[in-house]
Amino acid sequence: MDIHLFKELLCTKLDDIEKRTLHVLHQLNDDEVNYRYNEASNSIANLVVHISGNIDERVRRGIRGSDVTRDRDAEFDVLYRTRDELIEITKESYQDVRQTIELMSEEDLMKTQVIRDQERSNMDILFACVTHFSEHLGQMLYLAKMLKDQDFITASVPKRK
C-alpha cells in the first residue's frame, strides 16, 4: 500500500467536503443555519455539531487518545449556533482530522479500536468518517437549496437553463 497516496487522497476528499460545507454556510444567515423543517429533522447547525462530535469520538479520542467527552444525543437537540460559530467549528474540526492523518504512520493506520462492539482499523474508521461527512454534506446542500431557492449558488456544475 502506498501510504502517502492514501493519506493524500483522504485529505483531498476532506478538503472538498470542508470547502463545500463552508460554501453552504457562507450563503446562509444565522436563522437559516438553525432552521429545522420539523422535530424529526436536523438543522445545518445540528449537522455541523454532529460532525464535530463524530470527530471528537473517532479521531480525537479514538485515534489520538485525547480525553474527550461526547454527548451524541445533545447534538440532535434543538440548538442555536451562529453561522460564524459553525464556520469556526468546521474549520477546526477538519483541520484536526487532516493533521491527524498527516502524522499517522502505516502502523497507526492499521491499529484498531472498538466501536459499537466491533474492532475496526483506524484506516477503516477514517474511510467511514469521510463517507459520514459526505452524507451530511448532502443534507446541508439540500436544506440550503430549499432555503435559498433560486438564490442558492452551487459549488458544482450549475443546471442548464
Side-chain angles (χ1 to χ4, degrees), residues 21 30-31 43 50 68 91 103 107 113 115 118 129 145:
T21 300
D30 291 348
D31 289 335
S43 66
H50 173 63
V68 178
K91 288 179 179 180
L103 294 172
E107 182 180 322
Q113 54 178 291
I115 296 177
Q118 182 181 12
C129 284
K145 287 178 181 185

Side-chain angles (χ1 to χ4, degrees), residues 74-151:
E75 297 164 14
F76 301 107
D77 289 343
V78 174
L79 55 80
Y80 188 90
R81 298 289 189 283
T82 67
R83 178 189 72 168
D84 291 342
E85 287 175 307
L86 297 173
I87 289 169
E88 189 59 32
I89 291 168
T90 298
K91 288 179 179 180
E92 287 177 8
S93 296
Y94 283 92
Q95 181 62 31
D96 278 357
V97 178
R98 274 192 302 278
Q99 286 177 342
T100 300
I101 292 167
E102 289 166 2
L103 294 172
M104 292 178 81
S105 67
E106 186 168 355
E107 182 180 322
D108 294 329
L109 287 167
M110 301 317 295
K111 286 181 184 172
T112 61
Q113 54 178 291
V114 177
I115 296 177
R116 297 186 185 131
D117 299 323
Q118 182 181 12
E119 190 170 1
R120 298 171 67 183
S121 72
N122 287 332
M123 182 186 303
D124 181 36
I125 289 163
L126 290 167
F127 273 126
C129 284
V130 169
T131 301
H132 185 204
F133 305 159
S134 183
E135 291 166 350
H136 288 311
L137 169 61
Q139 293 171 314
M140 290 183 227
L141 287 164
Y142 187 74
L143 273 167
K145 287 178 181 185
M146 287 184 356
L147 290 163
K148 300 308 282 184
D149 195 21
Q150 296 300 317
D151 293 331

Side-chain angles (χ1 to χ4, degrees), residues 32-50:
E32 290 167 330
V33 297
N34 288 284
Y35 170 78
R36 291 171 67 123
Y37 179 74
N38 58 35
E39 283 299 312
S41 300
N42 293 308
S43 66
I44 290 172
N46 287 115
L47 296 169
V48 169
V49 168
H50 173 63

Side-chain angles (χ1 to χ4, degrees), residues 55-66 68-70:
I55 291 169
D56 279 347
E57 183 176 357
R58 303 287 191 254
V59 177
R60 293 177 180 127
R61 183 175 66 212
I63 294 174
R64 293 196 333 224
S66 300
V68 178
T69 302
R70 179 183 186 195

